[in-house]
Amino acid sequence: MGLNSPRTSSEKKKMFEGEETTTEAQDRISQLPDAILCHMLSLLPTKLAAQTGILSKRWRDVWLSIPALEFQMHLRANYEGDMTAFDSFAKPKIESFTNFLDRLFAIRDTSSIKKFRLVFDHQVDSRCLNNWLSALHNIQEIDLELLVQREFPWSPLADKLLEILKLSCISLPNIPSSVSFPRLKVLHLHSATYVDDASVEKLLSSCPVLEDLQISRWQWDNVRNFVIAVPSLKRLTLDFSTPEMDLYDGDDYEDGVEYKLIITAPNLEYLNLIDYMSDSIQVSSMTRVTESRLSVYKILTCVQRTAEQTSNYESNVREIFRSIPNVKHLTIGEFTMNSLGESLDSRLPVFQNLVHLEISFYVANGAILLPSLLKISPKLESLILPQVHYIRDLHNFERNMGITSPNVIGWFNPEENQVKPPQDVPECLLFRLKNVEISRITGRVEEEVEVLIYLLGNAMVLEKMTIWYEEYYVSGGPMDTTNYPTARRVQDRLSFTDKLMNCTRGSAACQLDIQMPELQL
């Protein structure tokens, strides 16, 4: 039948019946039980869920029973006028918003609310917040990201069914002795401000069954000694990544101001630590940790520090590694290697359970410590090198940076100015290593190619090596077509590929995958 042929009466009838069926199917959603409708609406932001009340009488009050409330108001992000007039712009909106929440909590059954999330980029009166939190009798999860006028109200949260508490950008007063969180398992504190060192310890001690703790700091949080002593803790994520130049005000460092981190968590299973703030890091044994991400670096960047302080910091960093001897998956940040000192052989344990290692190299140490890491990882199966940088004149670079690491052991011997691979092949290369992934390889530095050839030649059970070739990070800066013309780039690509494809491989089954970027003309 042609596209323009007239439809028969039977076809029109089928089309009409089909429309009725579709309409019935749509109407059936409204016939679902309230519990199912509430669950569906709880997956939406509360503002959108409330808008379903205009659909029909059936939907008018359904959203008032959803178990999760989420409100977000971004006044500053949506304001385009002069900031001197911001307060007059924000005041009526804040009043309207707080009045809406007051009415909402007054008309609905708050006992059914299990989750409450409030994101507000302006100050909220603590009296209003106190009233809202007090109405949440059976709340299990609270997520607040806001500025609070006066003091944050702890009391409404005490002795509830609360299991998850997330607080961001909030100034936290001392927690009263009468307040505790007997069921709290997850606590996230992001960019919070505390009264002092003791207030942090007191808050954590009020959570006897805490299992998951996340803390991100900023430089004005009033804490110098950050103590985390939680026996029940299983997961710990710390982001202390404030740059050192932002940390000290005036002569704070010369006046002896130091930042310390102390961790006591014997039942920890997961550790994610980023710390560029602490001058001293003290950790207790964490033998249950099976996965860890470590990026710690500070003391080597400050030329004002003494050799003794540098040595103590290196000892602290090595102690972190010694505290997790049973780790299976380990990620090491690029600056961390500079904090480990000159050798790993006798200073770190043998990681008998380590099967996955991801390590970023900083330009100052390149592959210097990689042989030692492989040596102490006899069961390693997967090696990931997301950032590989090398420098021939290592000692000059370190001297310019104020870094000292004499007698380092690795592929490149700066005294003889030549590449010297380790004589003893690590056990993991002979029997275990199956996968290698290396990124940002330029192929123009001898050390890079020698490391790749060494791994390919000595990894006897290697199944796949994936290499991401990079042209944009050569000679310490972005690629310049004038200094690095197309013909030369093509030649370098072919030379790099040829060296690897024709080198001796320890594993005949190894698949070599070289990912080349699009050639920029």
Side-chain angles (χ1 to χ4, degrees), residues 197 200-201 204 213 215 217 223-230 233 236 238 240 258-266 268 271 273 275 278-286 316 320:
D197 299 356
V200 177
E201 295 184 61
L204 296 180
L213 176 62
I215 300 176
R217 296 183 63 181
V223 179
R224 292 295 182 266
N225 299 324
F226 215 107
V227 179
I228 299 173
V230 186
L233 205 59
L236 177 60
L238 301 179
F240 296 2
E258 290 189 354
Y259 292 81
K260 296 181 179 180
L261 170 63
I262 302 173
I263 301 176
T264 304
L268 204 64
L271 173 64
L273 173 59
D275 190 350
S278 302
D279 297 278
S280 172
I281 304 175
Q282 302 174 25
V283 296
S284 300
S285 178
M286 298 176 286
N316 287 168
I320 298 174

Side-chain angles (χ1 to χ4, degrees), residues 315-335:
S315 178
N316 287 168
V317 175
R318 287 192 293 270
E319 190 59 39
I320 298 174
F321 284 86
R322 282 195 288 264
S323 71
I324 54 172
N326 298 317
V327 66
K328 295 181 179 180
H329 296 261
L330 178 61
T331 301
I332 304 176
E334 58 182 335
F335 297 109

Side-chain angles (χ1 to χ4, degrees), residues 2-3 39 45 92 98 103 114 156 178 211 220 288 324 379 466:
L3 292 176
H39 176 72
T98 54
R103 294 195 304 271
K114 304 301 181 183
S178 58
E211 295 182 356
W220 310 119
R288 296 189 179 186
I324 54 172
K379 297 181 180 179
T466 305

Side-chain angles (χ1 to χ4, degrees), residues 399-410:
R399 185 161 50 248
N400 293 336
M401 294 294 291
I403 300 170
T404 57
S405 56
N407 303 320
V408 288
I409 300 174

Side-chain angles (χ1 to χ4, degrees), residues 144-157:
L144 304 176
E145 182 178 341
L146 43 81
L147 302 174
V148 181
Q149 290 179 340
R150 304 179 183 88
E151 288 195 343
F152 178 80
W154 284 117
S155 297
L157 304 181

